[in-house]
Amino acid sequence: MKKLRAKSSTKPGIPGELLTSHLLNTLEAVRLIRARIGDIPGTPSGFWTWAALAALLHDTGKLPDGFQRMIGNTAEKPAPWGERHEVLSLGFVHLLLADLPDDQRGWVAAAVAGHHRSFTSGPEPPPKLPLLTQYGDDQPEDFADRFTPADQEHLTDLMGWLHATGQRHRLPLTERVPPADIRQLTDAAHRLFQDVMDRWEWSLPPDDDSGRTAVLLLGAVTMADHLSSAHSPLDTRHPLDGTYPARLAERLASQGHTLRPQQRQAAETTGNLLLRSWTGSGKTEAVLLWAEAQMDDLSVRSNGTPRVFYLLPYLASINAMTGRLSQELNAPDRIGVAHSKAASYHLAQSLADGCPGDDTDTVDAASKAHSRAEATKNFRELLRVGTPYQLLRGALAGPVHSSILTDSANSVFILDELHAYDARRLGMILAIISFWRGLGGRTAVLSATLPTALADLVNETLGGQTSLVEPPPESQAPIRHRIHISQAHLTEDASLNEIRERLADGQSVLVIANNVRDAITLFETLQPYCVELHGEDSAHLLHARYRRMDRTAIEVALQERFASGGPRLPGLLVGTQALEVSLDLDLDACHTSAADLEALVQRFGRVNRLGVLAPAPVTVHQPAYKRRRGGGDDLWADGVYEAEPTRHGWDILTRHDGQTINEQVVTGWLDEIYTSPWGCKWAQRVNEHRQQFERAFLEFSLPFDDRSCLAKEFDDQFDGIEAILAEDRDQYKVALERGTSKTTGRLYADQYLTPLPAWGAGLGTYDKLLKVRIINAEYDPRLGLQAIHRGTQQIYQAGEII
């Protein structure tokens, strides 16, 4: 008689994992997760015991012959089964936990039943059938028909093993092994299934926080299940440990420096932190000192090992920060990259480091990159770099996302350059910050120019329990820039001639437009002149609409030409917002279209970055105000930035035309904007978006309801939509087939993807075979995406979006 197995075989000739092995591994994973997360504030005292019981029993419903045949563990040809094993697992829960109070057994049952499928769904039919829809009308006889035949001897042996294992781990199972035949098992499953559905089918009352507990418990069980299935160990040694303060002090001393006052104050702060300090003043080191202190305090309070999440606003800035932290903490391969393009990052890193010489090397690199990304998805690393939006995905809850919320409990969160001007996204981030606080978390927000209005909102969100740290009044931020105002649009001849004069003087010039169309126009106009003066590799263009492979090549070229700390070479760099927060570059002068003042400050930061030059000229040009797609009658600067705050910023800059500036001065300017009538409306919008997100996602009144219909909308909103060019379809198909698996093949093929605007779901056609959107477009590897066509009609032109 064959032994029961939990999984199908992944390699020919090697049987799938034994069911008992998988259950034991999942139980052990809960122990490791508990040791890491610790005691979660606001959860019942039995939380981790329920998680352990659910882990031990979650897959016991894989007993029937139908399931074993489906995974190829019988003499018969594998065939679909059509039933849900987790529903039959409830029979084991009912019989083995008969001595537990009903409410405690109910918690275990909910986690077991919910670890793959939702219980209910809204009006939109979900891609996977909810359990209540599939089994809600069944009678006991129906369960007996659905889940048989099953082998009695297998049942007896499994029940005995479960009981012995539970006792060995001191879990509250029945005193003796419950005698049961197959019909008793299916009847018990039916009875408990009805109880679970009765408990969770309807919305909870507003003051009932059991939905929060349910989501966190489900997250603990699904996290353990993933770890067990992936056989992926959790890191236990933190890259940011108690040796960091001494190592930092030693490094600074070797350079003739000591800790700055704001760094010492951050290290001595217990609780949430607001850090306002100029570029180049050691913010990163300061916040790492703060994080290390919080870890010590939280580990005592929670009996766990706090995770540290270093969160940045844009994907493009994550790669550089990952490298910096790896170097700062001397922790290569121990910093997780937690974002939707993580596997692509690891692939690009592998290719750059390993310099593969043939397709075999590339495919092997793709496989390893996928493994690294999967390790982070399985919560391996204790320090991860990502965007807030990856953690916001936890609010989607359910069996796929609940583990993100559970893993965030008792953690340390660093939000670097939290932007104020996008009220909707800021409101959502404030909502999740409040949720993290309720889970025992600590949050730091750091910025060179943190507006007081934003600091107040964060402080309010964190219950007034924040400490503001900034350099002492006698410390002066370096003066790196001199403001110049131009009434000429960036694309006008007067502006172009001024840029040409700087190039002729041997300067490196940064030119930032508000939209792609202007950027391409500027580059095509100025590039020939720059190349004639300084060589073929002296002029570059970067915006958001390139194939991944082309963007990677451009970024490498930019680093070689304009890297901060490198030799100062003449040249031209034209771009859009994509340059504001991406690469660590340092140029001599900047010409930019007027935009939101916070965006302008980010642009200025790519010029005289290290402050080694006299105050560098940053020229701000008058934008063209116009309507944009979906924007109604409102006007936008070059079709991108909201008119009112842009004009307010322009007025402030005009008052200071010709003057030198630093970040301390800019903070006062931002305060002027955010305390204006527009600023009052902005604050109101932020709070409205925060409340909307909390009501829709963080109250968990239906914790087991399907939210998959919101997942794609969420991804499109934050990660955007991507497509391949029609002429790349054949190469994309070949790339898909090159990988050692479907996943690694798709990772390699993803190099052909080009980002589209957020509304781009209607652009092009969706290829169901390749599972990718295809566009008929005008594209050039140097200029990027310029236009998209439908037949002979042009339906998108660069410039409609940044």
Side-chain angles (χ1 to χ4, degrees), residues 312-333:
L312 298 122
Y314 297 106
L315 294 180
S317 52
I318 289 173
N319 301 350
M321 180 56 70
T322 303
R324 180 176 178 182
L325 291 176
S326 296
Q327 183 176 10
E328 177 72 21
L329 302 175
N330 190 25
D333 297 329

Side-chain angles (χ1 to χ4, degrees), residues 16-311:
E17 184 179 22
L18 288 172
L19 177 58
T20 51
S21 297
H22 176 63
L23 296 175
L24 187 61
N25 289 337
T26 309
L27 176 59
E28 176 62 17
V30 167
R31 185 188 68 79
L32 296 174
I33 292 167
R34 178 180 186 176
R36 171 181 278 201
I37 294 176
D39 302 322
I40 304 176
T43 57
S45 59
F47 180 91
W48 287 111
T49 299
W50 303 336
L53 288 167
L56 176 63
L57 302 174
H58 75 291
D59 273 358
T60 48
K62 293 181 175 180
L63 166 76
D65 295 355
F67 180 88
Q68 295 298 311
R69 180 182 178 183
M70 181 178 67
I71 64 171
N73 193 38
T74 67
E76 299 174 276
K77 181 180 179 180
W81 183 37
E83 305 301 336
R84 299 305 312 167
H85 66 269
E86 60 269 30
V87 172
L88 183 61
S89 296
L90 295 176
F92 291 88
V93 175
H94 193 277
L95 295 170
L96 284 163
L97 305 185
D99 295 341
L100 269 186
D102 289 348
D103 62 329
Q104 295 192 39
R105 185 171 63 242
W107 282 113
V108 178
V112 167
H115 82 273
H116 281 302
R117 293 283 179 90
S118 64
F119 296 171
T120 56
S121 68
E124 291 288 328
K128 296 180 180 179
L129 204 61
L131 296 183
L132 186 62
T133 303
Q134 188 169 355
Y135 295 101
D137 294 331
D138 281 10
Q139 298 301 312
E141 294 76 15
D142 299 314
F143 265 45
D145 290 340
R146 285 180 180 272
F147 296 110
T148 56
D151 186 85
Q152 179 63 44
E153 186 176 347
H154 275 153
L155 172 59
T156 301
D157 290 347
L158 180 58
M159 196 72 82
W161 180 88
L162 291 167
H163 190 270
T165 302
Q167 285 196 325
R168 191 165 64 251
H169 287 80
R170 299 181 180 180
L171 295 175
L173 274 64
T174 53
E175 186 176 347
R176 299 181 183 278
V177 180
D181 57 28
I182 300 298
R183 180 56 192 262
Q184 288 173 315
L185 177 69
T186 60
D187 283 353
H190 181 268
R191 190 175 309 119
L192 192 52
F193 178 80
Q194 295 297 324
D195 292 343
V196 170
M197 294 302 116
D198 287 346
R199 173 73 175 88
W200 299 109
E201 179 180 1
W202 304 108
S203 182
L204 299 170
D207 58 345
D208 189 341
D209 63 355
S210 57
R212 172 182 178 272
T213 299
V215 169
L216 295 172
L217 181 62
L218 181 63
V221 175
T222 55
M223 190 191 309
D225 192 19
H226 294 157
L227 289 173
S228 174
S229 298
H231 303 285
S232 176
L234 294 174
D235 284 354
T236 55
R237 188 164 62 94
H238 212 297
L240 178 61
D241 58 24
T243 68
Y244 176 68
R247 287 190 287 111
L248 175 61
E250 182 179 347
R251 174 169 66 81
L252 292 174
S254 69
Q255 300 168 346
H257 302 298
T258 61
L259 287 177
R260 300 182 182 189
Q262 65 270 24
Q263 292 173 326
R264 287 196 298 271
Q265 189 178 351
E268 295 166 358
T269 298
T270 299
N272 304 301
L273 174 71
L274 298 173
L275 177 60
R276 181 193 289 140
S277 191
W278 58 81
T279 301
S281 63
K283 287 196 301 295
T284 301
E285 292 83 356
V287 82
L288 289 176
L289 290 169
W290 168 83
E292 193 277 325
Q294 307 320 300
M295 287 166 50
D296 286 347
D297 186 55
L298 283 175
S299 63
V300 172
R301 291 171 179 265
S302 68
N303 298 309
T305 303
R307 279 73 60 224
V308 176
F309 297 91
Y310 201 110
L311 306 174

Side-chain angles (χ1 to χ4, degrees), residues 9 77 101 418 467 715 740:
S9 174
K77 181 180 179 180
L418 180 61
S467 298
D715 289 343
T740 55

Side-chain angles (χ1 to χ4, degrees), residues 589-613:
C590 174
H591 285 260
T592 173
S593 292
D596 181 282
L597 187 55
E598 282 182 286
L600 290 178
V601 171
Q602 294 290 333
R603 297 175 187 186
F604 299 166
R606 306 297 154 199
V607 172
N608 197 14
R609 188 166 179 78
L610 301 180
V612 298
L613 306 176

Side-chain angles (χ1 to χ4, degrees), residues 452-729:
T452 302
L454 176 56
D456 290 344
L457 281 176
V458 175
N459 184 57
E460 178 186 341
T461 298
L462 293 170
Q465 300 175 1
T466 63
S467 298
L468 175 62
V469 171
E470 50 190 341
E474 62 271 18
S475 298
Q476 290 296 315
I479 297 175
R480 296 182 294 136
H481 305 122
R482 185 180 298 276
I483 290 290
H484 298 281
I485 294 298
S486 173
Q487 296 295 333
H489 191 271
L490 189 59
T491 59
E492 292 182 16
D493 287 343
S495 305
L496 296 172
N497 289 334
E498 190 174 348
I499 295 169
R500 290 189 184 101
E501 288 177 10
R502 296 192 187 282
L503 291 172
D505 287 342
Q507 297 182 36
S508 56
V509 185
L510 174 66
V511 180
I512 300 187
N514 286 337
N515 62 57
V516 175
R517 179 171 51 204
D518 285 351
I520 292 174
T521 299
L522 287 161
F523 180 76
E524 289 187 305
T525 304
L526 294 167
Q527 184 259 358
Y529 182 75
C530 183
V531 167
E532 182 181 350
L533 288 173
H534 304 300
E536 190 65 36
D537 61 346
S538 64
H540 300 274
L541 171 68
L542 181 64
H543 52 74
R545 309 298 166 203
Y546 284 95
R547 295 184 304 182
R548 290 190 192 176
M549 64 175 76
D550 298 326
R551 176 165 183 141
T552 299
I554 292 170
E555 289 180 345
V556 170
L558 294 183
Q559 288 283 23
E560 292 175 352
R561 188 80 185 185
F562 304 118
S564 177
R568 305 196 76 87
L569 300 174
L572 172 71
L573 173 53
V574 180
T576 63
Q577 179 181 290
L579 283 169
E580 290 174 15
V581 289
S582 54
L583 304 170
D584 185 13
L585 306 177
D586 190 3
L587 289 87
D588 299 334
C590 174
H591 285 260
T592 173
S593 292
D596 181 282
L597 187 55
E598 282 182 286
L600 290 178
V601 171
Q602 294 290 333
R603 297 175 187 186
F604 299 166
R606 306 297 154 199
V607 172
N608 197 14
R609 188 166 179 78
L610 301 180
V612 298
L613 306 176
V618 290
T619 304
V620 182
H621 295 259
Q622 179 77 271
Y625 290 97
K626 55 187 177 182
R627 296 179 179 85
R628 70 177 187 181
R629 180 189 292 261
D633 292 331
D634 294 336
L635 295 178
W636 304 79
D638 294 321
V640 176
Y641 291 93
E642 192 176 350
E644 189 172 350
T646 300
R647 283 173 168 152
H648 199 149
W650 174 266
D651 292 341
I652 292 172
L653 293 171
T654 300
R655 296 201 307 263
H656 297 84
D657 187 12
Q659 298 180 14
T660 57
I661 62 167
N662 60 29
E663 279 99 336
Q664 289 167 314
V665 170
V666 172
T667 299
W669 295 352
L670 289 171
D671 285 347
E672 181 180 332
I673 292 173
Y674 284 105
T675 55
S676 69
W678 174 88
C680 295
K681 290 185 289 185
W682 163 84
Q684 183 178 353
R685 291 203 309 270
V686 171
N687 282 319
E688 288 172 353
H689 287 299
R690 173 187 167 180
Q691 292 166 10
Q692 289 171 4
F693 190 77
E694 287 174 337
R695 285 195 299 268
F697 288 98
L698 296 176
E699 292 182 353
F700 303 115
S701 58
L702 284 168
F704 295 99
D705 195 50
D706 180 82
R707 293 185 175 186
S708 59
C709 60
L710 300 174
K712 187 178 185 305
E713 177 184 338
F714 191 95
D715 289 343
D716 292 347
Q717 188 172 334
F718 292 113
D719 294 331
I721 298 166
E722 294 178 302
I724 64 170
L725 306 172
E727 58 263 36
D728 285 341
R729 186 187 185 280

